């Protein structure tokens, strides 16, 4: 595992996965792990875990997001499959996990309380 630290940002390269390929770069900034949004996609951020919730904002291309907690919600199809998992990226802000490269089909952090 390679570790590089620059100006308060620590970047770690994940270990190889089951197929032997190296996973994408996972970044840690100020103690928060961030995950890349699917390339070529702007991502809608909703106030809850579904498209029926209010649109809070739109993340630009090549964004990275922290995942504070995760919860089940509306099933969405995206670049990383079909999932009903929604990632809480900030208080009152959710994105579909189908658009975030976490390297897992399940939860990567604690369920939202």
């Amino acid at each position: 595992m390679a570790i590089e630290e620059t100006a308060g940002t620590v970047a770690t390269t994940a270990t190889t996965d089951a197929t032997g390929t190296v996973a994408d770069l996972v970044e840690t900034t100020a103690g928060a792990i961030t995950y890349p949004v699917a390339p070529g996609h702007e991502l809608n951020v909703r106030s809850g875990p579904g498209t029926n919730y209010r649109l809070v904002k739109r993340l630009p291309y090549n964004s990275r997001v922290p995942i504070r907690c995760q919860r089940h919600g509306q099933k969405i199809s995206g670049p990383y499959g079909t999932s009903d998992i929604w990632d809480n990226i900030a208080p009152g802000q959710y994105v579909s996990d189908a658009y975030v490269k976490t390297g897992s089909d399940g939860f990567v952090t604690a369920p939202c309380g």
Side-chain angles (χ1 to χ4, degrees):
M1 183 180 302
I3 298 177
E4 177 183 319
E5 188 168 347
T6 56
T9 299
V10 176
T12 59
T13 304
T15 57
T16 58
D17 63 17
T19 63
T21 58
V22 176
D24 278 348
L25 190 65
V26 174
E27 289 183 5
T28 305
T29 304
I33 296 172
T34 61
Y35 298 88
V37 171
H41 291 275
E42 292 181 315
L43 188 57
N44 289 332
V45 178
R46 301 281 180 175
S47 62
T51 58
N52 56 321
Y53 288 87
R54 179 178 58 83
L55 179 65
V56 174
K57 64 181 177 180
R58 195 165 192 164
L59 298 176
Y61 297 108
N62 302 319
S63 292
R64 297 187 68 88
V65 294
I67 300 177
R68 301 173 65 228
C69 62
Q70 293 174 299
R71 69 182 323 153
H72 293 285
Q74 180 184 4
K75 191 174 281 192
I76 299 292
S77 292
Y80 301 119
T82 300
S83 178
D84 71 344
I85 297 173
W86 286 73
D87 305 327
N88 178 256
I89 61 170
Q93 297 183 24
Y94 290 86
V95 296
S96 171
D97 195 62
Y99 284 86
V100 180
K101 185 161 188 163
T102 62
S104 174
D105 289 336
F107 282 20
V108 295
T109 191
C112 298

